[in-house]
Amino acid sequence: AFVCEEGLDCEERDVGENAGVHWCTQGCDSMNDCPDVEQPVLFVECQGSTPETQGICVIVCNEASVCPDGMQCFVEDGEPKGVCAFPG
């Protein structure tokens, strides 16, 4: 099984054409809570945060991006950008 390092949660996409892809993440209230990414053409977003709920950090990518080692850019059809994740 896929194991994340201590302090990180495994987030898995369970719908859509990319169901099963997964990545390690942490809770966030804003982008400042998310770790930086070294690669160019990538940025980290805190998705889904509301005043009541923590969001999760995702590495946002597009066709031109090179994701961190072992990860690929998964873009759902019709979306302008995707997320870096490990294949399902």
Coordinates of all heavy atoms in Angstrom, one line a residue:
A1 N 0.8 -1.2 0.0 CA 0.0 0.0 0.0 C 0.9 1.2 0.0 O 2.0 1.2 0.4 CB -0.9 0.0 1.2
F2 N 0.3 2.3 -0.4 CA 1.0 3.6 -0.5 C 1.0 4.2 0.9 O 0.0 4.4 1.5 CB 0.2 4.5 -1.5 CG 0.9 5.8 -1.8 CD1 2.0 5.8 -2.6 CD2 0.3 6.9 -1.2 CE1 2.6 7.0 -2.9 CE2 0.9 8.2 -1.5 CZ 2.0 8.2 -2.3
V3 N 2.2 4.6 1.4 CA 2.3 5.2 2.7 C 2.9 6.6 2.6 O 3.9 6.8 2.0 CB 3.1 4.3 3.6 CG1 3.2 4.9 5.0 CG2 2.6 2.9 3.7
C4 N 2.2 7.5 3.3 CA 2.8 8.9 3.3 C 3.7 9.0 4.5 O 3.5 8.3 5.5 CB 1.6 9.9 3.4 SG 0.6 9.9 1.9
E5 N 4.6 10.0 4.4 CA 5.4 10.3 5.6 C 4.6 10.8 6.7 O 3.5 11.3 6.6 CB 6.6 11.2 5.2 CG 6.2 12.5 4.7 CD 7.4 13.2 4.0 OE1 7.7 12.9 2.9 OE2 8.0 14.1 4.7
E6 N 5.2 10.7 7.9 CA 4.4 11.1 9.1 C 4.0 12.5 9.1 O 4.7 13.4 8.6 CB 5.4 10.9 10.3 CG 4.6 10.8 11.6 CD 5.6 10.5 12.8 OE1 6.6 9.8 12.6 OE2 5.4 11.1 13.9
G7 N 2.7 12.7 9.5 CA 2.2 14.1 9.5 C 1.4 14.4 8.2 O 0.8 15.5 8.1
L8 N 1.5 13.6 7.2 CA 0.8 13.8 5.9 C -0.3 12.8 5.8 O -0.2 11.6 6.2 CB 1.7 13.7 4.7 CG 2.8 14.8 4.7 CD1 3.7 14.6 3.4 CD2 2.3 16.2 4.7
D9 N -1.4 13.2 5.1 CA -2.5 12.3 4.8 C -2.5 11.9 3.3 O -2.0 12.7 2.5 CB -3.8 13.0 5.1 CG -4.0 13.4 6.5 OD1 -3.6 12.6 7.4 OD2 -4.4 14.5 6.8
C10 N -2.9 10.7 3.1 CA -3.0 10.2 1.7 C -4.4 10.6 1.1 O -5.4 10.3 1.7 CB -2.8 8.7 1.5 SG -2.9 8.2 -0.2
E11 N -4.4 11.4 0.1 CA -5.6 11.9 -0.5 C -5.8 11.1 -1.8 O -4.8 11.0 -2.6 CB -5.5 13.4 -0.8 CG -6.7 14.0 -1.5 CD -7.9 14.1 -0.6 OE1 -7.7 14.2 0.7 OE2 -9.0 14.1 -1.1
E12 N -7.0 10.5 -2.0 CA -7.2 9.8 -3.3 C -8.4 10.3 -4.0 O -9.4 10.6 -3.4 CB -7.4 8.3 -2.9 CG -7.5 7.4 -4.2 CD -7.4 5.9 -3.9 OE1 -6.6 5.5 -3.1 OE2 -8.3 5.2 -4.4
R13 N -8.2 10.4 -5.3 CA -9.3 10.9 -6.2 C -10.2 9.7 -6.4 O -9.8 8.6 -6.8 CB -8.7 11.4 -7.5 CG -9.7 12.1 -8.2 CD -9.3 13.3 -9.0 NE -9.2 14.6 -8.2 CZ -8.7 15.6 -8.8 NH1 -8.3 15.6 -10.1 NH2 -8.5 16.7 -8.1
D14 N -11.5 9.8 -6.1 CA -12.3 8.6 -6.2 C -13.4 8.7 -7.3 O -14.2 7.8 -7.4 CB -13.0 8.2 -4.8 CG -13.7 9.4 -4.2 OD1 -13.7 10.5 -4.8 OD2 -14.1 9.3 -3.0
V15 N -13.4 9.8 -8.0 CA -14.3 10.0 -9.1 C -13.6 10.4 -10.4 O -12.5 10.9 -10.3 CB -15.4 11.0 -8.7 CG1 -16.3 10.5 -7.6 CG2 -14.8 12.4 -8.4
G16 N -14.3 10.4 -11.5 CA -13.8 10.9 -12.7 C -12.8 9.9 -13.4 O -12.6 8.8 -12.9
E17 N -12.3 10.4 -14.5 CA -11.4 9.5 -15.3 C -10.1 9.2 -14.6 O -9.5 8.2 -15.0 CB -11.2 10.2 -16.7 CG -10.4 11.4 -16.5 CD -10.5 12.4 -17.7 OE1 -9.8 12.2 -18.7 OE2 -11.4 13.2 -17.7
N18 N -9.7 10.0 -13.7 CA -8.5 9.8 -12.9 C -8.7 9.1 -11.6 O -7.8 9.3 -10.7 CB -7.7 11.1 -12.8 CG -7.3 11.6 -14.2 OD1 -6.9 10.9 -15.1 ND2 -7.4 12.9 -14.3
A19 N -9.8 8.4 -11.4 CA -10.1 7.8 -10.1 C -8.9 6.9 -9.7 O -8.4 6.2 -10.6 CB -11.4 7.0 -10.2
G20 N -8.5 6.9 -8.5 CA -7.4 6.0 -8.0 C -6.1 6.7 -7.9 O -5.2 6.2 -7.2
V21 N -5.9 7.9 -8.6 CA -4.6 8.6 -8.4 C -4.6 9.1 -7.0 O -5.6 9.4 -6.4 CB -4.4 9.7 -9.5 CG1 -4.6 9.1 -10.9 CG2 -5.4 10.9 -9.2
H22 N -3.4 9.3 -6.4 CA -3.3 9.7 -5.0 C -2.0 10.5 -4.8 O -1.1 10.5 -5.6 CB -3.3 8.4 -4.1 CG -2.3 7.4 -4.6 ND1 -2.6 6.4 -5.5 CD2 -1.0 7.2 -4.3 CE1 -1.6 5.7 -5.7 NE2 -0.5 6.2 -5.0
W23 N -2.1 11.2 -3.7 CA -0.9 12.0 -3.3 C -0.9 12.3 -1.8 O -2.0 12.0 -1.2 CB -0.9 13.4 -4.1 CG -2.0 14.3 -3.8 CD1 -2.0 15.3 -2.9 CD2 -3.3 14.3 -4.4 NE1 -3.2 16.0 -3.0 CE2 -4.0 15.4 -3.9 CE3 -3.9 13.5 -5.4 CZ2 -5.3 15.7 -4.2 CZ3 -5.2 13.8 -5.8 CH2 -5.9 14.9 -5.2
C24 N 0.2 12.7 -1.3 CA 0.3 12.9 0.1 C 0.0 14.4 0.3 O 0.6 15.3 -0.4 CB 1.7 12.6 0.7 SG 1.9 10.8 0.5
T25 N -0.7 14.8 1.4 CA -1.1 16.2 1.5 C -1.2 16.5 3.0 O -1.1 15.6 3.9 CB -2.4 16.5 0.8 OG1 -2.5 17.9 0.8 CG2 -3.6 15.8 1.4
Q26 N -1.5 17.7 3.3 CA -1.7 18.2 4.6 C -2.9 19.1 4.6 O -3.2 19.7 3.5 CB -0.5 18.8 5.2 CG -0.1 20.1 4.5 CD 1.4 20.4 4.7 OE1 2.3 19.7 4.4 NE2 1.6 21.6 5.4
G27 N -3.5 19.3 5.7 CA -4.6 20.2 5.8 C -4.1 21.7 5.7 O -2.9 21.9 6.0
C28 N -4.9 22.6 5.3 CA -4.5 24.0 5.1 C -5.7 24.9 5.3 O -6.8 24.6 5.0 CB -3.8 24.2 3.8 SG -4.9 23.7 2.4
D29 N -5.4 26.1 5.7 CA -6.4 27.2 5.8 C -6.1 28.2 4.7 O -6.9 28.9 4.2 CB -6.4 27.9 7.1 CG -6.8 26.9 8.2 OD1 -7.8 26.3 8.1 OD2 -6.1 26.8 9.2
S30 N -4.8 28.2 4.2 CA -4.5 29.1 3.1 C -3.2 28.5 2.5 O -2.6 27.6 3.0 CB -4.1 30.5 3.6 OG -2.9 30.5 4.2
M31 N -2.8 29.1 1.3 CA -1.6 28.6 0.6 C -0.4 28.7 1.5 O 0.5 27.9 1.3 CB -1.4 29.5 -0.6 CG -1.9 28.9 -1.9 SD -1.7 30.1 -3.3 CE 0.0 30.2 -3.4
N32 N -0.4 29.6 2.4 CA 0.8 29.7 3.3 C 1.1 28.5 4.1 O 2.2 28.3 4.7 CB 0.7 30.9 4.2 CG 0.5 32.2 3.4 OD1 1.0 32.3 2.3 ND2 -0.1 33.2 4.0
D33 N 0.0 27.7 4.3 CA 0.2 26.4 5.1 C 0.8 25.3 4.3 O 1.2 24.3 4.8 CB -1.2 25.9 5.6 CG -1.8 26.9 6.6 OD1 -1.1 27.7 7.2 OD2 -3.0 27.0 6.7
C34 N 0.9 25.5 3.0 CA 1.3 24.4 2.1 C 2.8 24.5 1.8 O 3.3 25.7 1.7 CB 0.6 24.4 0.8 SG -1.2 24.2 1.0
P35 N 3.5 23.4 1.6 CA 5.0 23.5 1.3 C 5.2 24.0 -0.1 O 4.4 23.9 -1.0 CB 5.4 22.0 1.4 CG 4.2 21.2 1.2 CD 3.0 22.0 1.7
D36 N 6.4 24.6 -0.3 CA 6.7 25.1 -1.6 C 7.1 23.9 -2.5 O 7.5 22.9 -2.0 CB 7.9 26.1 -1.5 CG 7.5 27.4 -1.0 OD1 6.3 27.8 -1.2 OD2 8.3 28.2 -0.5
V37 N 7.0 24.1 -3.8 CA 7.5 23.1 -4.8 C 8.6 23.7 -5.5 O 8.6 24.9 -5.9 CB 6.4 22.8 -5.8 CG1 6.6 21.5 -6.4 CG2 5.0 22.9 -5.2
E38 N 9.6 22.9 -5.7 CA 10.9 23.4 -6.4 C 10.7 23.5 -7.9 O 11.4 24.3 -8.5 CB 12.0 22.4 -6.1 CG 12.0 21.9 -4.6 CD 13.0 22.6 -3.8 OE1 14.2 22.8 -4.2 OE2 12.6 23.1 -2.7
Q39 N 9.9 22.7 -8.5 CA 9.9 22.6 -10.0 C 9.2 23.9 -10.6 O 8.3 24.4 -10.0 CB 9.1 21.4 -10.4 CG 9.9 20.1 -10.5 CD 9.9 19.4 -9.1 OE1 9.5 19.9 -8.1 NE2 10.3 18.1 -9.2
P40 N 9.7 24.3 -11.8 CA 9.0 25.4 -12.5 C 7.6 25.0 -13.0 O 7.4 23.8 -13.1 CB 10.0 25.7 -13.6 CG 10.7 24.5 -13.8 CD 10.8 23.8 -12.5
V41 N 6.8 25.9 -13.4 CA 5.5 25.7 -13.9 C 4.5 25.0 -13.0 O 3.6 24.4 -13.4 CB 5.5 24.9 -15.3 CG1 4.3 25.4 -16.2 CG2 6.8 25.0 -16.0
L42 N 4.9 25.0 -11.7 CA 4.0 24.3 -10.7 C 3.7 25.3 -9.6 O 4.5 26.2 -9.3 CB 4.7 23.1 -10.0 CG 5.0 21.9 -10.9 CD1 5.7 20.9 -10.0 CD2 3.7 21.3 -11.4
F43 N 2.5 25.3 -9.1 CA 2.3 26.0 -7.8 C 1.4 25.2 -6.9 O 0.7 24.3 -7.4 CB 1.8 27.4 -8.1 CG 0.5 27.5 -8.8 CD1 -0.7 27.7 -8.1 CD2 0.4 27.4 -10.2 CE1 -1.9 27.7 -8.7 CE2 -0.8 27.5 -10.8 CZ -2.0 27.7 -10.1
V44 N 1.4 25.5 -5.7 CA 0.6 24.8 -4.7 C -0.6 25.6 -4.4 O -0.5 26.8 -4.2 CB 1.5 24.5 -3.4 CG1 0.6 23.8 -2.4 CG2 2.7 23.7 -3.8
E45 N -1.7 24.9 -4.3 CA -3.0 25.6 -4.0 C -3.6 24.9 -2.7 O -3.4 23.7 -2.6 CB -4.0 25.4 -5.1 CG -4.3 26.6 -5.9 CD -5.3 26.3 -7.0 OE1 -6.1 25.3 -6.9 OE2 -5.3 27.1 -8.0
C46 N -4.3 25.7 -1.9 CA -5.1 25.1 -0.8 C -6.5 25.0 -1.3 O -7.2 26.0 -1.5 CB -5.0 26.1 0.4 SG -5.9 25.4 1.8
Q47 N -6.9 23.8 -1.7 CA -8.2 23.7 -2.3 C -9.3 23.3 -1.2 O -9.0 22.4 -0.4 CB -8.2 22.6 -3.4 CG -7.5 23.1 -4.6 CD -7.6 22.1 -5.8 OE1 -8.0 21.0 -5.6 NE2 -7.2 22.5 -7.0
G48 N -10.5 23.9 -1.4 CA -11.6 23.4 -0.6 C -11.7 24.0 0.8 O -12.5 23.5 1.6
S49 N -10.9 25.0 1.1 CA -10.9 25.5 2.5 C -12.1 26.5 2.6 O -12.3 27.3 1.7 CB -9.6 26.1 2.9 OG -9.5 27.4 2.5
T50 N -12.8 26.4 3.7 CA -13.9 27.4 4.0 C -13.6 27.8 5.5 O -12.8 27.2 6.1 CB -15.3 26.7 4.0 OG1 -15.3 25.8 5.0 CG2 -15.5 26.0 2.6
P51 N -14.3 28.8 5.9 CA -14.1 29.2 7.4 C -14.3 28.0 8.3 O -13.7 28.0 9.4 CB -15.1 30.3 7.6 CG -15.3 30.9 6.2 CD -15.2 29.8 5.2
E52 N -15.2 27.1 8.0 CA -15.5 26.0 8.9 C -14.6 24.7 8.7 O -14.4 23.9 9.5 CB -16.9 25.5 8.7 CG -18.0 26.5 9.2 CD -18.2 27.6 8.2 OE1 -18.3 27.3 7.0 OE2 -18.3 28.8 8.6
T53 N -14.1 24.6 7.5 CA -13.4 23.3 7.1 C -12.0 23.6 6.6 O -11.8 24.5 5.8 CB -14.1 22.6 5.9 OG1 -15.5 22.9 6.0 CG2 -13.9 21.1 6.0
Q54 N -11.0 22.8 7.0 CA -9.7 22.9 6.4 C -9.7 22.4 5.0 O -10.5 21.4 4.7 CB -8.7 22.0 7.2 CG -8.1 22.8 8.3 CD -6.7 22.2 8.7 OE1 -6.5 21.0 8.7 NE2 -5.7 23.1 8.9
G55 N -8.9 23.0 4.1 CA -8.8 22.4 2.8 C -7.6 21.5 2.7 O -7.1 21.1 3.8
I56 N -7.2 21.1 1.5 CA -6.0 20.3 1.4 C -5.1 20.9 0.4 O -5.5 21.6 -0.5 CB -6.4 18.8 0.9 CG1 -7.2 18.9 -0.4 CG2 -7.1 18.0 1.9 CD1 -7.2 17.6 -1.1
C57 N -3.8 20.7 0.6 CA -2.8 21.2 -0.4 C -2.7 20.3 -1.6 O -2.6 19.1 -1.5 CB -1.4 21.2 0.3 SG -1.3 22.3 1.8
V58 N -2.7 20.9 -2.8 CA -2.5 20.2 -4.0 C -1.5 20.9 -4.8 O -1.3 22.1 -4.8 CB -3.8 20.0 -4.8 CG1 -4.9 19.3 -4.1 CG2 -4.3 21.4 -5.3
I59 N -0.7 20.1 -5.6 CA 0.3 20.7 -6.6 C -0.5 20.8 -7.9 O -0.8 19.8 -8.5 CB 1.5 19.8 -6.7 CG1 2.2 19.5 -5.3 CG2 2.5 20.4 -7.7 CD1 3.3 18.5 -5.4
V60 N -0.7 22.0 -8.3 CA -1.4 22.3 -9.5 C -0.4 22.3 -10.7 O 0.7 22.7 -10.6 CB -2.1 23.7 -9.4 CG1 -2.8 24.0 -10.7 CG2 -3.1 23.7 -8.3
C61 N -0.9 21.6 -11.8 CA 0.0 21.5 -13.0 C -0.8 21.6 -14.3 O -2.0 21.7 -14.3 CB 0.7 20.1 -12.9 SG -0.5 18.7 -12.9
N62 N -0.1 21.7 -15.4 CA -0.7 21.7 -16.7 C 0.2 20.9 -17.6 O 1.2 20.3 -17.2 CB -0.9 23.1 -17.2 CG 0.3 23.9 -17.4 OD1 1.4 23.3 -17.7 ND2 0.3 25.2 -17.3
E63 N -0.2 20.8 -18.9 CA 0.5 20.0 -19.9 C 2.0 20.3 -19.9 O 2.8 19.4 -20.2 CB 0.0 20.2 -21.3 CG -1.5 20.0 -21.4 CD -1.9 18.5 -21.1 OE1 -1.2 17.6 -21.5 OE2 -3.0 18.3 -20.5
A64 N 2.4 21.5 -19.6 CA 3.9 21.9 -19.7 C 4.6 21.5 -18.4 O 5.9 21.7 -18.4 CB 4.0 23.4 -20.0
S65 N 4.0 21.1 -17.3 CA 4.6 21.0 -16.1 C 5.4 19.7 -16.0 O 5.0 18.7 -16.7 CB 3.6 20.9 -14.9 OG 2.7 22.1 -15.0
V66 N 6.4 19.7 -15.2 CA 7.1 18.4 -14.8 C 6.8 18.3 -13.3 O 7.2 19.1 -12.5 CB 8.6 18.5 -15.0 CG1 9.3 17.3 -14.5 CG2 8.9 18.7 -16.5
C67 N 6.1 17.2 -12.9 CA 5.7 17.0 -11.5 C 6.9 16.4 -10.8 O 7.9 15.9 -11.4 CB 4.5 16.0 -11.5 SG 3.0 16.8 -12.0
P68 N 6.9 16.5 -9.4 CA 7.9 15.9 -8.6 C 8.1 14.4 -9.0 O 7.2 13.8 -9.5 CB 7.5 16.1 -7.2 CG 6.6 17.3 -7.3 CD 5.9 17.2 -8.6
D69 N 9.3 13.9 -8.6 CA 9.7 12.5 -8.9 C 8.5 11.5 -8.7 O 8.0 11.4 -7.6 CB 10.8 12.0 -8.0 CG 12.1 12.6 -8.6 OD1 12.1 13.2 -9.7 OD2 13.2 12.6 -7.9
G70 N 8.3 10.7 -9.7 CA 7.3 9.6 -9.6 C 5.9 10.1 -9.8 O 5.0 9.3 -10.0
M71 N 5.6 11.4 -9.8 CA 4.2 11.9 -10.0 C 4.0 12.3 -11.4 O 4.9 12.6 -12.2 CB 4.0 13.1 -9.1 CG 4.2 12.8 -7.6 SD 4.0 14.2 -6.5 CE 2.3 14.1 -6.1
Q72 N 2.7 12.3 -11.8 CA 2.3 12.7 -13.2 C 1.3 13.7 -13.0 O 0.6 13.8 -12.0 CB 1.8 11.5 -13.9 CG 2.8 10.4 -14.2 CD 2.1 9.1 -14.7 OE1 1.0 9.1 -15.2 NE2 2.8 8.0 -14.7
C73 N 1.1 14.5 -14.1 CA 0.1 15.5 -14.1 C -1.2 14.9 -14.6 O -1.3 14.4 -15.8 CB 0.5 16.7 -15.0 SG -0.7 18.1 -14.8
F74 N -2.3 14.9 -13.8 CA -3.5 14.3 -14.2 C -4.5 15.5 -14.4 O -4.8 16.2 -13.5 CB -4.1 13.3 -13.2 CG -3.3 12.1 -13.1 CD1 -2.2 12.0 -12.2 CD2 -3.5 11.0 -13.9 CE1 -1.5 10.8 -12.1 CE2 -2.7 9.9 -13.9 CZ -1.7 9.8 -13.0
V75 N -5.0 15.6 -15.6 CA -5.9 16.7 -16.0 C -7.2 16.0 -16.4 O -7.2 15.2 -17.3 CB -5.4 17.6 -17.1 CG1 -6.3 18.8 -17.4 CG2 -4.0 18.1 -16.8
E76 N -8.3 16.4 -15.8 CA -9.6 15.9 -16.2 C -10.0 16.6 -17.6 O -9.6 17.7 -17.8 CB -10.7 16.2 -15.2 CG -10.5 15.6 -13.8 CD -10.9 14.1 -13.7 OE1 -11.8 13.7 -14.5 OE2 -10.3 13.4 -12.9
D77 N -10.7 15.9 -18.4 CA -11.1 16.4 -19.7 C -11.8 17.8 -19.5 O -12.7 17.9 -18.7 CB -12.1 15.5 -20.4 CG -11.3 14.4 -21.2 OD1 -10.1 14.6 -21.4 OD2 -12.0 13.5 -21.7
G78 N -11.3 18.7 -20.3 CA -12.0 20.0 -20.3 C -11.5 21.0 -19.2 O -11.9 22.1 -19.2
E79 N -10.7 20.5 -18.3 CA -10.1 21.4 -17.3 C -8.8 22.0 -17.7 O -8.1 21.4 -18.4 CB -9.9 20.5 -16.0 CG -11.1 20.0 -15.3 CD -11.9 21.0 -14.6 OE1 -11.3 22.0 -14.0 OE2 -13.1 20.9 -14.8
P80 N -8.6 23.3 -17.4 CA -7.4 23.9 -17.8 C -6.2 23.5 -17.1 O -5.0 23.6 -17.6 CB -7.7 25.4 -17.5 CG -8.7 25.4 -16.4 CD -9.5 24.2 -16.6
K81 N -6.3 23.0 -15.9 CA -5.2 22.5 -15.1 C -5.5 21.3 -14.3 O -6.7 21.0 -14.1 CB -4.7 23.6 -14.1 CG -5.8 24.1 -13.2 CD -5.4 25.4 -12.5 CE -6.5 25.7 -11.5 NZ -6.3 26.9 -10.7
G82 N -4.5 20.6 -13.9 CA -4.7 19.3 -13.2 C -3.9 19.3 -11.9 O -3.5 20.3 -11.4
V83 N -3.7 18.1 -11.3 CA -3.0 18.0 -10.1 C -1.8 16.9 -10.3 O -2.0 16.0 -11.1 CB -3.8 17.5 -8.9 CG1 -4.9 18.5 -8.6 CG2 -4.4 16.1 -9.2
C84 N -0.7 17.2 -9.6 CA 0.3 16.2 -9.6 C 0.0 15.1 -8.6 O -0.4 15.3 -7.5 CB 1.6 16.8 -9.2 SG 2.4 17.9 -10.4
A85 N 0.0 13.8 -9.1 CA -0.4 12.7 -8.3 C 0.4 11.5 -8.7 O 0.9 11.4 -9.8 CB -1.9 12.5 -8.3
F86 N 0.3 10.4 -7.9 CA 0.9 9.1 -8.3 C -0.2 8.3 -9.0 O -1.3 8.4 -8.5 CB 1.4 8.4 -7.0 CG 2.5 9.1 -6.3 CD1 2.3 9.8 -5.2 CD2 3.8 9.0 -6.9 CE1 3.4 10.5 -4.6 CE2 4.9 9.6 -6.2 CZ 4.7 10.4 -5.1
P87 N 0.2 7.6 -10.0 CA -0.8 6.8 -10.7 C -1.5 5.8 -9.8 O -0.9 5.3 -8.9 CB 0.0 6.1 -11.8 CG 1.3 6.8 -11.9 CD 1.5 7.4 -10.6
G88 N -2.8 5.5 -10.1 CA -3.6 4.6 -9.3 C -3.0 3.3 -9.2 O -3.1 2.4 -10.0

